[in-house]
Amino acid sequence: MAERDLPVARDADERVREVRLLVKILSRPELGALAGTILIFLFFGIVAGDSGMFSMKGIMIFLEVSAQLGILAVFVSLLMIAGEFDLSVGSMIGFAGVAIAIPMQQFGWPLWAAITLAFGLAVVVGYINGLIVVRTKLPSFIVTLAALFILRGLTLGITRLMTGRTQVSGLRPLFEDDWLAPLFAGDVFQSLFLWLASVDAIRTRTDGLPLAPGVPVSVIWWLVLSALATWLLLRTKFGNWIFATGGDVLAARNAGVPVERVKILLFIGTACGATLFAAIQVLDAGSADTQRGLLKEFEAIIAVVVGGTLLTGGYGSAVGAALGALIFGTVQMGIFFTGVNTDWFKVFVGTMVLVAVLFNNFIRRRMTEAR
Amino acid sequence: MSAVPLIEVRSITKYYGSVIALKDISMICYAGEVMCLLGDNGAGKSTLIKMLSGMHKPDAGKILLDGEEVVFQSPRSALNRGIATVYQDLATVPLMSITRNFFMGREPVRGWGPFQRFDIAASDKIAQREMLNIGIDVRDPGQAVGTLSGGERQCLAIARAIYFGAKVLILDEPTSALGVHQAAVVLRYVMEAKARGLAVIFISHNVHHAYPVGDRFTILNRGRSEGTFEKAEITREQVMLMMAGGRELEQLTAELDGAQGGEHIK
């Protein structure tokens, strides 16, 4: 029987490949996150539809929460696709925050100089992280875990040394009229929102101004960075190098991809992403705190993994990471709006991570097994 | 056959600490020729190709390309001089598409400055055409390389090297992980590369794969050369005997015979 079947099997095997549409769709990394996003919105649309979550104000609240994490997640996704982790981004947020705040408060630096300093430090931190990882070939997990503690410690030590406290506050008057501040904090499309309020399309305060003053500028950063990162990944030479580096570092090196440079640049990217996050937070709150960014490294990894990026690298998407952040932010705020005890949020996050990883593994098997 | 070999290794020596990995090895390969480098595990084959592909530098001796001495600082510099190495398992990235693998490290770009982009449409066409040239019909060059068979992956790596103008093609155990049918696919393509005028250095410990395609054979044994032989001078069995183990097997046979002889005397 086996002998009779053989020629048939051979004909099917020889050089003729059917690429089924379903397989093609399934092989998009952000598919799971997209499905998840739709589910989450359906769910909260039903249970929290009349709680104000989907009013303009509510939408802006959960978008802003998502956007801040999303900015971080986009950079982390690029690094993770290249096969490395950065656990130091949370500490980097705190570090960059005080690097902006202290020079302004203590030395009267202008905002632009303080922000330039913070980004300069981010480049140094990212470069050192990357250099240690590529030179020693140690897992980035452990190298950046060290950086997590060193940076947090430095942040605390330096801040207390310079200011005697662990918080740098009262910054608002220092940047209130600064030309650079609107780039990081505040809202855009304010006139549009005013008009919407005037025609009663969105809710207003008692004085007639819209309840949501505009779109938080962080949301714009999030959207622009996600789009740029997606373009970088899918349509540039460097993007191909990122996939190659994460997919198989030796094959990439053999093919002439400068894998070390790719990794170092992406470590610099995550540190800069954390600094952008910090700048937005400092200008938004008017203060810096040494404890800012705590656990953000894990939240970013969660958003990236939920977005379909493999923990082992070589496969993933920046759009997915943006959607992962959206899911994270929406659920975090959604639970608040529905009035459910927020303790349950973490149970949900953990379950979501587990489901996402299992799903990603399934996709990878589909991708790599010979059909 | 031109008088100057395309690539020549002259009295090359390499030490790893106190270990003599290679001692005084010489080897030449002309254009349009398959030179087989044979030897058992640990014979020094990998060390030799690592020097040819720019991963290591020799401690003594030199490498000549087109009769001119060259020193490679990195795999990239060897690649730029037209020496392409295809490694057994380390040639392609399974999770990436055929096109992305084909152009890995040498992506064609369009546009200018910061707006330079990877020209995927053109790349897809080229990859599909080049794969078809070697008899692999891929409907969708966007499919992951992981879906190809082992032989097809090796062929992709070789096709890529040829497409990017390799003059010297070094194949590191291209068939050792493959089944009989898949190995034949790769071997046929090696002949194709030879016909196109490439100098092919074929590394193997499998005489059955190397002998049919090889023009000449250099046999390494424990870091030293056993000599180079034209195909006409040597049979498959002699090659096998000369590789490590051959002598040991002879010795073993002799010992067994001796033992039997001893019993006869008793």
Side-chain angles (χ1 to χ4, degrees):
Chain A
M1 211 166 97
E3 278 155 14
R4 210 169 54 220
D5 285 342
L6 200 62
V8 181
R10 212 160 185 197
D11 281 347
D13 170 46
E14 284 294 301
R15 307 287 132 80
V16 184
R17 307 191 164 279
E18 290 290 334
V19 181
R20 279 177 293 153
L21 189 66
L22 183 69
V23 172
K24 266 195 107 167
I25 295 172
L26 265 178
S27 65
R28 290 301 314 153
E30 53 278 270
L31 176 85
L34 187 63
T37 309
I38 294 169
L39 268 177
I40 294 294
F41 273 90
L42 279 177
F43 176 77
F44 284 110
I46 293 164
V47 302
D50 50 1
S51 67
M53 182 177 174
F54 292 99
S55 70
M56 193 54 95
K57 179 72 181 166
I59 290 172
M60 289 309 145
I61 287 175
F62 72 72
L63 278 187
E64 188 172 13
V65 171
S66 308
Q68 294 198 354
L69 179 60
I71 288 168
L72 206 56
V74 164
F75 288 96
V76 172
S77 73
L78 296 182
L79 181 68
M80 282 178 68
I81 294 170
E84 300 291 350
F85 281 101
D86 188 350
L87 294 184
S88 71
V89 287
S91 298
M92 187 64 215
I93 291 171
F95 186 67
V98 301
I100 294 170
I102 290 178
M104 288 179 75
Q105 196 205 46
Q106 300 287 310
F107 311 118
W109 285 28
L111 182 63
W112 67 265
I115 285 181
T116 309
L117 171 74
F119 275 103
L121 288 170
V123 171
V124 173
V125 168
Y127 182 78
I128 293 173
N129 272 338
L131 196 68
I132 295 175
V133 168
V134 302
R135 283 279 176 274
T136 62
K137 303 209 163 39
L138 286 169
S140 50
F141 185 86
I142 210 74
V143 171
T144 57
L145 184 64
L148 180 158
F149 281 93
I150 293 170
L151 281 176
R152 187 65 76 189
L154 277 176
T155 308
L156 262 170
I158 292 172
T159 309
R160 215 186 304 260
L161 209 65
M162 309 278 280
T163 68
R165 306 173 57 205
T166 57
Q167 229 184 2
V168 190
S169 49
L171 296 172
R172 201 171 291 283
L174 300 175
F175 61 73
E176 212 151 33
D177 300 319
D178 198 285
W179 56 275
L180 197 58
L183 198 59
F184 298 102
D187 301 280
V188 290
F189 304 129
Q190 292 188 6
S191 45
L192 173 71
F193 277 59
L194 276 174
W195 177 78
L196 283 173
S198 70
V199 297
D200 276 338
I202 55 174
R203 280 198 217 168
T204 54
R205 303 193 307 208
T206 43
D207 58 1
L209 290 172
L211 204 55
V215 180
V217 75
S218 55
V219 174
I220 308 296
W221 274 108
W222 176 42
L223 296 178
V224 169
L225 286 172
S226 303
L228 274 178
T230 301
W231 178 77
L232 182 79
L233 269 177
L234 298 180
R235 285 290 173 269
T236 69
K237 202 179 174 113
F238 192 73
N240 210 38
W241 293 357
I242 295 176
F243 281 119
T245 302
D248 188 333
V249 75
L250 283 173
R253 187 179 288 129
N254 288 339
V257 174
V259 292
E260 269 133 37
R261 189 163 20 122
V262 169
K263 284 187 180 178
I264 290 175
L265 280 172
L266 294 175
F267 274 109
I268 292 176
T270 52
C272 287
T275 304
L276 177 58
F277 185 108
I280 289 170
Q281 244 187 5
V282 167
L283 295 198
D284 194 44
S287 69
D289 190 310
T290 51
Q291 293 304 311
R292 287 265 166 79
L294 213 61
L295 291 181
K296 284 292 169 203
E297 59 281 344
F298 290 113
E299 291 180 11
I301 290 172
I302 287 168
V304 171
V305 169
V306 168
T309 298
L310 288 181
L311 284 167
T312 43
Y315 183 75
S317 131
V319 172
L323 290 173
L326 180 61
I327 293 176
F328 199 98
T330 307
V331 174
Q332 196 171 13
M333 286 298 110
I335 284 183
F336 169 76
F337 272 104
T338 45
V340 176
N341 190 328
T342 47
D343 297 349
W344 298 101
F345 174 61
K346 287 192 174 147
V347 178
F348 171 81
V349 170
T351 314
M352 183 172 68
V353 169
L354 202 59
V355 170
V357 171
L358 290 172
F359 184 76
N360 290 352
N361 264 357
F362 165 74
I363 293 290
R364 179 186 28 198
R365 267 210 310 281
R366 283 225 67 118
M367 289 279 293
T368 48
E369 71 190 8
R371 289 194 294 268
Chain B
M1 207 177 273
S2 56
V4 183
L6 193 48
I7 188 154
E8 178 173 0
V9 170
R10 210 176 272 173
S11 314
I12 225 165
T13 298
K14 179 78 188 173
Y15 307 107
Y16 289 130
S18 61
V19 178
I20 302 166
L22 280 178
K23 183 76 187 166
D24 206 18
I25 302 293
S26 295
M27 186 183 83
I28 53 177
C29 187
Y30 293 96
E33 172 183 77
V34 178
M35 159 84 203
C36 289
L37 189 59
L38 295 162
D40 199 12
N41 296 339
K45 302 176 306 241
S46 305
T47 307
L48 185 54
I49 57 160
K50 273 178 186 156
M51 285 185 284
L52 284 172
S53 63
M55 276 164 92
H56 292 332
K57 278 185 215 166
D59 290 317
K62 50 190 173 182
I63 298 167
L64 292 94
L65 192 64
D66 260 333
E68 186 192 323
E69 186 175 351
V70 284
V71 178
F72 299 130
Q73 301 298 332
S74 67
R76 184 113 216 175
S77 76
L79 209 56
N80 289 341
R81 295 298 297 267
I83 300 182
T85 310
V86 175
Y87 296 91
Q88 185 181 341
D89 296 321
L90 309 169
T92 54
V93 180
L95 281 166
M96 283 164 72
S97 73
I98 292 170
T99 302
R100 284 178 176 275
N101 265 287
F102 198 92
F103 289 97
M104 183 165 63
R106 278 170 297 196
E107 298 80 1
V109 288
R110 289 180 68 164
W112 52 271
F115 303 107
Q116 264 192 0
R117 60 191 189 277
F118 180 11
D119 192 351
I120 300 243
S123 305
D124 273 343
K125 275 197 199 108
I126 296 168
Q128 194 162 22
R129 189 188 71 213
E130 294 298 315
M131 292 301 280
L132 194 62
N133 279 348
I134 57 173
I136 300 170
D137 183 9
V138 283
R139 291 270 181 84
D140 175 17
Q143 81 188 64
V145 157
T147 62
L148 297 178
S149 71
E152 288 169 333
R153 284 184 220 182
Q154 282 292 330
C155 286
L156 185 150
I158 301 172
R160 175 173 68 187
I162 295 177
Y163 177 79
F164 285 105
K167 291 185 289 182
V168 179
L169 185 62
I170 302 174
L171 302 173
D172 181 19
E173 304 269 4
T175 56
S176 53
L178 303 179
V180 179
H181 175 71
Q182 294 291 335
V185 172
V186 175
L187 292 176
R188 200 167 295 132
Y189 195 40
V190 169
M191 296 307 283
E192 167 80 23
K194 170 187 161 173
R196 290 199 194 188
L198 275 81
V200 181
I201 299 176
F202 187 107
I203 293 107
S204 186
H205 63 255
N206 188 330
V207 185
H208 303 292
H209 288 164
Y211 195 80
V213 294
D215 294 304
R216 277 179 311 119
F217 305 90
T218 293
I219 297 155
L220 293 186
N221 190 4
R222 298 179 61 78
R224 284 160 211 271
S225 174
E226 298 270 333
T228 299
F229 307 90
E230 297 287 332
K231 195 171 196 167
E233 299 172 355
I234 194 166
T235 65
R236 193 184 294 229
E237 286 67 30
Q238 283 170 311
V239 174
M240 213 169 349
L241 275 176
M242 234 179 284
M243 284 165 64
R247 208 162 281 162
E248 282 165 37
L249 283 176
E250 262 177 17
Q251 207 180 342
L252 183 66
T253 316
E255 276 169 22
L256 288 172
D257 284 349
Q260 275 172 359
E263 274 181 2
H264 277 296
I265 291 167
K266 253 183 213 169

